[in-house]
Amino acid sequence: MSKSQQDFESVLSDSATDVASFSQKKTLLDKIQSLLHANPALVPLIVLMLSLLVFGLILGEKFFSPFSLTLILQQVAIVGFVGAAQTLIIITAGIDLSVGAIMVLSSVVMGQFTFRYGLPVEFAILCGLGVGAICGFINGFLVAVVKLPPFIVTLGMWQIVLASNFLYSANETIRSQDIAEKAAALHFFGEKVKIGGAVFTYGVIFMVVLVLVLNYILNHTAWGRHVYAIGDDSDAAELSGVQVKKTLISVYVIAGLICALAGWVLIGRIGSVSPTAGQFANIESITAVVIGGISLFGGRGSIMGMLFGALIVGVFSLGLRLIGTDPQWTYMLIGILIISAVAIDQWIRRVSA
Amino acid sequence: MNNNIEPILTGRGLVKRYGRVTALDHADFDLYPGEILAVIGDNGAGKSSMIKAVSGATIPDEGEVMLEGKPVHFTSPIDAREAGIETVYQNLALSPALSIADNMFMGREVRKKGFLGKYMRMLDRPKMEQIARDKLSELGLLTIQNINQTVETLSGGQRQGVAVARAAAFGSKVIILDEPTAALGVKESRKVLELISDVRSRGIPIVLISHNMPHVFEVADRIHIHRLGKRLCVINPKDYSMSDAVAFMTGAKEPT
Ligand SMILES: Nc1ncnc2c1ncn2[C@@H]1O[C@H](COP(=O)(O)OP(=O)(O)O)[C@@H](O)[C@H]1O
Ligand SMILES: [Mg+2]
């Protein structure tokens, strides 16, 4: 090699060995930036701890009791489920506006199949889960194969699914007493486990388990790595051997299935099957994801962050309610958190070495 | 190359149209075992389109690709990779937010042995990191300290190094490099050229697309000159000067 090396490059061996750089010394801020870059769930975790601390100091026992803290968990169970589905989609650089509608339609199918057609409740639940998966598949097919923008596809699906939900259910609510009598399985996730003053529902426990399992899958399996690679740069992922279409469709199907599970949990939470429930699940799930430090540009963030994001919202809601302020203050604080989270995300993304 | 050796990778009559643009117009291509074949040509001549057609990144509208004399029909880069052809695309095809190790094993991850790998689908991180580290240091890229650092924190030259190392680590039959030195400084280019010679010394033939005439004339055994979507001629760098080559590829002079 060195023999054939171009003559004019022979001086290279004497050239300076350091690379161009502006001050190699890393400031504290640079170090923080790198740390957050490597651990995207750290910011929401710190915010969560701080808000627990502050409300605990202000409210004392009233807030810092096993009962209140587990009440927060119960209140974020649904958002946690739907947020998990939303996280998967947003990591692929998509967005899913139809999550709430899929959740409600699935719960209505579970209820109506049992009560209108007299099908066994277990089978009706399976049908509800199937409906969620099919909605997810349609989203995934339109995004991955027809190559329509996720925002538009899911905006359309939101309307279509919601309209189907109202037309099919004829706006009819199935009462809690009827469910308890004839189809108790629909209330499964509402069942409670009491440990001292702490109250956990199966829904809460299952939500936390689901998030932990998804966290494992996203970080320790090839499929999970592919989901991140697609969100990062889908052309690059395709060229480096990722089956982009197949993976994307699978992400949307799994998201649809999780939303359907959320529909089942929803029945346990509110007791009845109502076609008008869960209207804010869309916005609440996106809020949890964004406050959780997951980048809307895709490819970055941790699903644990989403859980912390959902809990932050839960802590603020309960804390401010116990203090007795106007609930509008909660929304205002959440608004500030959303904008701050995105600003921090932009800053972290500018990290260099 | 002498005529009784069979080419390892061949393209015949390749056509690729993008709307009204004909990127490939019945292009031919031959790569022989053990050689470095440089492909030169003006911007937009269809060099990238040609290597994409032989590496599965695009499906040609017409024409045939043969590997070791047998026709192949790659429908994705995965097909070509499985056949032993590795490509470093002009845009590198790395995922900036993922680590070096994740990138090197993208699409061919190694799972743990036993229950964890089989049923839990768990990746064998330590093993992949070890292999990645070995490959990078084999190619003299030891300056990269942390195999878990994300690609976006690397310099342009280091990224190029990772992409080339990935191709070199897994390419068993053919390695294709599309303008690997275009974005690099003098020293970084030198490093990549050394990598190329290293790979060739292991007996693997290389296709090098480049605009840099000194580099091409330094390393190439043969030079494929591409013009207006097809192969104009193939020259031996010992028989022609750099200005001849430039004259051919721009159409200022016709090959005899
Ligand atoms: N994906 C594409 N869509 C549309 N036109 C393309 C695409 N890829 C290449 N082309 C066109 O094909 C021609 C050849 O491009 P390319 O193969 O990239 O040339 P080169 O690599 O020699 O610079 C150019 O005119 C380019 O604009
Ligand atoms: Mg090109």
Side-chain angles (χ1 to χ4, degrees), chain B residues 16-19 21-24 41-50 52 58 90 178-179 209 211 226:
Chain B
K16 183 73 199 176
R17 296 184 194 89
Y18 291 106
V21 178
T22 303
L24 286 180
D42 224 342
N43 250 334
K47 307 180 295 295
S48 295
S49 299
M50 181 174 71
K52 282 184 175 164
T58 60
Q90 199 164 351
D178 194 353
E179 310 221 12
I209 300 177
H211 268 133
H226 211 73

Side-chain angles (χ1 to χ4, degrees), chain A residues 256-277:
Chain A
L257 197 59
I258 295 173
C259 291
L261 269 173
W264 187 3
V265 178
L266 182 69
I267 303 174
R269 172 106 190 108
I270 61 176
S272 58
V273 171
S274 161
T276 54

Side-chain angles (χ1 to χ4, degrees), chain A residues 1 4-6 9 12 15-16 37 216 219-222 225-226 229 232 236 239-243 300 353, chain B residues 57 78 81 93-97 102 106-107 109 120-123 125 150 152-153 166 187 190 194 197 214 218:
Chain A
M1 188 76 216
S4 64
Q5 193 164 324
Q6 302 294 317
E9 287 182 6
L12 269 180
S15 63
H37 187 258
Y216 168 84
N219 290 302
H220 295 286
T221 71
R225 299 284 81 196
H226 294 177
D232 205 4
L239 290 175
S240 30
V242 173
Q243 294 183 296
R300 281 157 223 267
Chain B
I78 304 172
R81 273 169 39 161
L94 297 173
S95 299
D102 278 343
M106 186 57 63
E109 292 82 0
M120 305 295 287
R121 319 291 287 175
M122 191 192 247
L123 297 175
R125 277 268 158 70
T150 58
E152 66 199 339
T153 63
R166 174 168 75 175
K187 286 175 72 179
R190 178 61 37 217
E194 282 170 17
S197 302
E218 177 185 333

Side-chain angles (χ1 to χ4, degrees), chain B residues 10-15 27 54 60 62-66 70-73:
Chain B
T10 312
R12 282 290 170 268
L14 297 171
V15 175
V54 299
E62 288 172 37
E64 194 173 39
V65 178
M66 281 174 287
K70 288 187 268 307
V72 284
H73 300 279

